[in-house]
Structure formats: structure tokens, C-alpha cells
Amino acid sequence: MSAALSGKSTVDAALKASQTAADREMKKAGYYK
Amino acid sequence: MATQVIIKIQITVSTTVDLHHPLKETTVKFRFASVLAASLFSAGMAQAATELVIATVNNGHMIEMQKLSKNFEQANPDIKLKWVTLEEGVLRQRVTTDIATKGGQFDVMTIGMYETPIWGKKGWLQELKTDAAYDVDDLLPAMRNGLSVDGKLFAAPFYGESSMLMYRKDLADKAGVQVPERPTWPQIKDLAAKMHDPKNGVYGICLRGKPGWGDNMAFLSTLVNTFGGQWFDMNWKPQLESKPWKDAINFYVDLLKNYGPPGSSANSFNEILALTNSGKCGMWIDATIAASFVSDPKQSKVADKMAFAQAPTMNTPKGANWLWAWSLAIPAGSKKVDAAQKFVSWATSKDYINLVGKTNGWGTVPTGTRKSTYANAEFVKAARFASAEKTAIDSANPNDSTLPKSPYVGVQFAAIPEFQAIGSK
């Protein structure tokens, strides 16, 4: 989000990266497969 | 205390030698008995003087508590307090490690509304048992609810906050805008455009941009909530590419690019507080605790020009303003539960709030915890923001803060251990 704000990334790209990271974290923690 | 006991025991031993002197036997016996009694009494005292190690965060309200805690020690001579005061991030790390490993380093821990439901559910915290004088029903329902699991209170709120809109009434008047009690985000954008005057050093709106789950993501979670989004759906799938997230983040980036101060991506609470106090922000949406600072003429150039309203809404009022409390909790399995409970009750009592009010002035009391604070005429007189703050806190519900159903507790966070990592990416 901070990268999107400073113009280093687009909003879509920032959200995609965050989604991927969050998904990996939740999988790793065993919330789903 | 321990040293004293050792000395007494040595005296007792040397007295025992004297017992072999026949003439002195009676008196010596008597002396022996009395010295032994004294030493036992002393040892008894040493056992009863419980030392409580308290881990806390280094903010103003907590520092004040340490100063005033001599009152507690005077009233409870059998309890000694030892303070470990830490930066927020370090505190969080230390207490989390200690409780997860059952380290037993701390008898009382300062924790937030994020940790309490997680730790309470895991059975890591002692359920708090308060007496009638404590008046647990006087706690603000939103706070009590956010610090309880299955109706059991696991942490006592020391001070609490929500978020709200703080704005320059003079600039709104100049723009011919009457700010409603609960404005919408489009209204805020419109007003930001009218207030924005960078040539004269005034930016329409200042918002957090610094990365971190306790920084920009606290604010952005409330924005996403009111746009109708959520962190996780009922299957725990992250929802960051959903429409509400895209709409909310695009709105935010656009708003700050057009009407925000330069360098917003480095700003969090303290940076924006300084900007607001120097008159550079037309509007600011952040912790209600800030209201006491921006309306304080000792630190704010625009103290008399500030006004307060509820956090803006978009598609739903749900989760539009956050809820947080710094609270005191006791680790489960503690050997010093009674003494710790005594201290926790004292520090979060009505009497403590009265003590701060009388000692330092009613504008400086820890707020956001008790109904009685907001019913106190002296407090209401000293704090112009009181009613807006109470409305904000009352309207927040960590168990129901998103439009679609969510599996997690929390307004500006999801109370699961993984969230710290996710929310900081």
C-alpha cells in the first residue's frame, strides 16, 4: 500500500503482491490447503 | 528483604551457643525465643512481600501510572512493583515470547486488543475476577466485549480509543461547508479539495501512509471495512484483490496524491500529529487520543480551531472506526495471581482515574474505558472531544465490523497470530 502511495507500484500490483503473500502465510499456517 | 532474613538467622545461631552457659539459661532461652520469633516474623514478611514484575509500554499514560503507583505500594505494603518499560514493538515481542514459552518473567503484562482474544482463547491468560467496588459493568461495553472471550474478561482496559475525524472548523467555515456528525467519504474528498492550499502550507487531508499493521493498515482496514470489504472470507481466504479493496485503496491513493502533504508514505501518528499541530492539515482521521493533543494550546497552534466528528463512511458504517485498548493482563499459571489482580484492579479503577484527575487535571486522565469518566462533569468540561470520542467507541464492535460475515474478531486487524506478518507486508 505504501509503495502504491509513493508511486513505486500501481494499486493493482500492490494488492496482487499482498494477496499472494497473505495467501502463502495462511496456507503455511494450515487455515486451508 | 532476603538479606535481612539471613542476618537474623546468623544471630539466632550465635545465641544458641550461649545456651551452654548454665547461669544464663533462662534468660538466654527467652532471648533465643524472642530472636527466633523476630527472625520468623521477618522471614514471614519476606515471603508476604510479593514482587510484581510489570511489563508496560512507554507512552504518557503508562509513565504517569508508574509515578502514581507509589500510592498503591503505600496502601499495599506487602506488594512491591518492578517496572519493565519498553517500546511498543519490543514490548510486544518480549511479552509474546514470555507467554508462549511460559517463561514467567512477568506477573502483569500490558497487552492490546489484538493479543487479548488470541491469548484468552489459547488459555494463556488468567480470567480477571473483580470485586463490587471495581464495578465491572461501568466498563464501556465495546471495550469489555473486545477484551473478553466467551464472556470472560481476560484483560482490564487501562485506556482505550477509537478513530474519528479531526478538522479545522475555521477552514470548513471559510469553504462554506458544514461538516455533518458522520460525514461520507465523498463529502470528505470534496471538503479536502476546498481546504487544500499548499501555497499557504495547508493540505486538505493528512492520513497515515507509513507501512505496518499498527500504522497505515490500521487506518486502511477501517477504510476497506466501510467500503464493504474484509481481510478474510469465511474460509479464511484473503480478500485483498476484491472490489472493495481495489476501490478503497484507489480512493485513498488518489485522495492523498491530490490533497495530501508531500511524503505521505512516511507519515504515521506522530508525524501527522506534528503537521496538524502546526496548522498544516485541514483534516485528519486517526486515534481519538489525538484529540486531546490537537486541542491542547500548549502543543497545538490551532487548538481553538479544531472540531471533531465521526470517521467517514462509504457503503456501510460497519467497521468505519477502529477500537483499541491498552490493557493489563495476568499470565495463566502465575504464582502471584492475587497480588497481580489487586494491582490490575487498582490501575483500571474509577479511583485511579480520579487520582489522575485530581493530581494532573481532568484533561489528562486515561479515557475510553469507563462510562463514569464520560459522566464526570469535570472531565467533560476539560475535554471538548469527550462526546465525539464516546460516540466513536460505542459504535465500534470488534465482533461485527465487516459487511460480509468474517471469521475473525477485530476492527482494524484480524485477531489471529498470522496477522502481524500479513498486515505488515
Side-chain angles (χ1 to χ4, degrees), chain B residues 197-234:
Chain B
D197 186 7
K199 273 189 203 134
N200 289 308
V202 176
Y203 305 98
I205 188 161
C206 300
L207 297 169
R208 295 184 184 192
K210 192 180 183 174
W213 75 274
D215 291 299
N216 67 338
M217 293 321 291
F219 168 74
L220 287 175
S221 296
T222 64
L223 187 70
V224 167
N225 289 341
T226 191
F227 270 69
Q230 62 187 157
W231 272 100
F232 306 100
D233 70 4
M234 288 306 283

Side-chain angles (χ1 to χ4, degrees), chain B residues 178-214:
Chain B
Q178 178 78 36
V179 176
E181 151 102 16
R182 177 73 114 158
T184 64
W185 274 109
Q187 285 174 328
I188 292 297
K189 188 175 183 177
D190 184 54
L191 181 55
K194 287 177 175 153
M195 286 175 163
H196 194 58
D197 186 7
K199 273 189 203 134
N200 289 308
V202 176
Y203 305 98
I205 188 161
C206 300
L207 297 169
R208 295 184 184 192
K210 192 180 183 174
W213 75 274

Side-chain angles (χ1 to χ4, degrees), chain B residues 168 171 201-206 261 272 275-276 279-284:
Chain B
R168 288 277 299 277
L171 299 179
V202 176
Y203 305 98
I205 188 161
C206 300
I272 303 176
L275 286 171
T276 303
K280 292 192 189 305
C281 299
M283 288 179 279
W284 180 23

Side-chain angles (χ1 to χ4, degrees), chain A residues 2 11 19 23 25 29 31-32, chain B residues 236-238 240 250 418 425:
Chain A
S2 185
V11 170
Q19 172 73 20
D23 186 53
E25 194 76 36
Y31 283 85
Y32 50 81
Chain B
W236 288 106
K237 272 273 180 190
L240 284 91
N250 274 305
E418 295 74 20
K425 268 174 191 152

